[in-house]
Amino acid sequence: MIYDHEARLNGVSPLTGEVLSEAMPWIKNVTGKTIVIKYGGAAMVDEDLRAGVMADIVLLKIIGVNPVIVHGGGKAISRAMDDAGIPVEFVDGQRVTTPEAMDIVRTVLTGEVNQELVEAMHRHGSMAVGLSGTDASTIVAEPADPRLGRVGCITSINPALIHDLVAADYIPVIASVAVGADGGAFNINADVAAGHVAAAIGAHKVVFLTDVDGLFMDYPDPASLVSAMTLDETRQLIETDAVASGMIPKLGSCVRALEAGVQRAHIINGTTPHSLLLELLTDKGIGTMVEGLAAVPASFNESELGRFAAKLANNE
């Protein structure tokens, strides 16, 4: 594991000429590639932060990246359940989801949070398509634990709809709701869903936006922040319970994606302005990177931007 504390932002503006000049080789590396971005936490709740993250995702699309967004919405769900008088209960860190709670989960994730993200991107052009894992049975699940009710364990991903949207130069925005064999919906951990989706669609990278700067071995000691680690080191951390429980789903999803051939996984702080761009397009990055088995420098892949350009808003 690499501890690189000088790689933090330290107040440096992300718009400096130095940062822009060093971005070129990284832009070449990701152009034409698909990157799965798990979005959640405080960056989702704050409207200004949400607008900034969505604008950065649009910028990635403009330079030729194919972003696929997977999101949750835990805070919004808890608020809606409180408003409805439904108790909020967790078992082993997972939300107990009764049928009544599942109705709220589905309504909040697909009808509220998903559309807020789509609308934020549509300020820059008509490119985002909101859907949930139930659409075209994209995410299929079975009950995870009888104690948890309608919480699902993913059994399969059907990536055809995602591939079609990416091929048509749209940005899929996927709510972490799955369909079961009974036709009903399941509540799915968004970190877990992102790992499964990245593995199934053959993504180049998967990025987890969270509320902290990355993986800490001794949170919140800044000296314990890990900047880079290998797949084997990540497996070892999970097996030995050496990290905070909230990181386990993220690390497990990193392992799943990397074992399927995804080259790198990143855990970064979504509340830091432009953290996504800084992690993907600069030499240092600002979060924790997990290196996969097949991580090799990619050659420049020039994508066709003609169809996408037509979707950009003309704001002149």
Side-chain angles (χ1 to χ4, degrees):
M1 282 178 284
I2 299 173
Y3 296 81
D4 183 4
H5 319 302
E6 297 304 318
R8 304 309 99 195
L9 279 177
N10 294 326
V12 176
S13 169
L15 299 179
T16 63
E18 181 180 352
V19 171
L20 291 172
S21 65
E22 76 179 36
M24 180 60 72
W26 297 101
I27 291 173
K28 289 182 177 181
N29 187 48
V30 297
T31 295
K33 306 297 198 313
T34 297
I35 295 178
V36 173
I37 301 166
K38 184 269 176 174
Y39 182 60
M44 175 180 287
V45 176
D46 184 282
E47 185 175 350
D48 291 337
L49 284 171
R50 181 171 65 239
V53 173
M54 293 303 106
D56 287 347
I57 290 172
V58 172
L59 178 57
L60 288 174
K61 182 63 178 173
I62 290 171
I63 66 174
V65 177
N66 297 316
V68 174
I69 316 305
V70 178
H71 72 86
K75 293 183 179 179
I77 292 169
S78 294
R79 184 178 63 249
M81 289 178 66
D82 284 338
D83 292 343
I86 298 176
V88 177
E89 182 183 356
F90 290 86
V91 173
D92 296 334
Q94 297 190 75
R95 183 188 303 275
V96 175
T97 308
T98 63
E100 294 78 15
M102 188 64 233
D103 288 339
I104 290 178
V105 168
R106 182 171 48 198
T107 298
V108 169
L109 290 185
T110 64
E112 178 184 331
V113 176
N114 188 271
Q115 291 308 298
E116 286 174 350
L117 302 183
V118 170
E119 289 169 7
M121 276 193 272
H122 279 180
R123 295 172 189 169
H124 308 282
S126 301
M127 63 204 73
V129 176
L131 61 147
S132 81
T134 63
D135 292 315
S137 296
T138 297
I139 305 176
V140 181
E142 62 184 10
D145 186 328
R147 300 175 299 167
L148 299 173
R150 300 297 297 185
V151 171
C153 175
I154 296 175
T155 58
S156 64
I157 301 289
N158 296 314
L161 178 57
I162 301 174
H163 285 313
D164 287 347
L165 290 171
V166 169
D169 277 323
Y170 288 103
I171 302 175
V173 183
I174 308 169
S176 55
V177 178
V179 65
D182 60 359
F186 280 104
N187 186 12
I188 301 293
N189 180 291
D191 291 322
V192 174
H196 277 267
V197 168
I201 67 175
H204 177 63
K205 294 174 181 276
V206 57
V207 182
F208 298 88
L209 294 179
T210 183
D211 298 338
V212 295
D213 289 338
L215 173 66
F216 290 81
M217 294 305 297
D218 184 21
Y219 184 81
D221 178 7
S224 71
L225 179 61
V226 178
S227 290
M229 57 185 180
T230 66
L231 179 55
D232 284 340
E233 288 170 337
T234 307
R235 291 192 190 105
Q236 197 170 32
L237 286 177
I238 296 172
E239 291 170 359
T240 58
D241 290 327
V243 294
S245 59
M247 275 291 168
I248 297 299
K250 292 178 177 59
L251 293 179
S253 293
C254 290
V255 169
R256 172 175 291 278
L258 296 177
E259 287 180 341
V262 176
Q263 290 191 10
R264 291 184 178 91
H266 304 258
I267 301 171
I268 63 176
N269 193 337
T271 68
T272 300
H274 309 297
S275 60
L276 189 57
L277 302 182
L278 289 163
E279 181 68 12
L280 296 178
L281 304 180
T282 67
D283 293 338
K284 293 291 187 181
I286 64 166
T288 297
M289 180 185 72
V290 184
E291 194 87 7
L293 298 172
V296 294
S299 59
F300 177 60
N301 181 5
E302 188 171 358
S303 62
E304 296 181 9
L305 298 178
R307 288 176 298 170
F308 171 69
K311 297 182 175 68
L312 292 178
N314 184 358
N315 295 321
E316 298 180 353

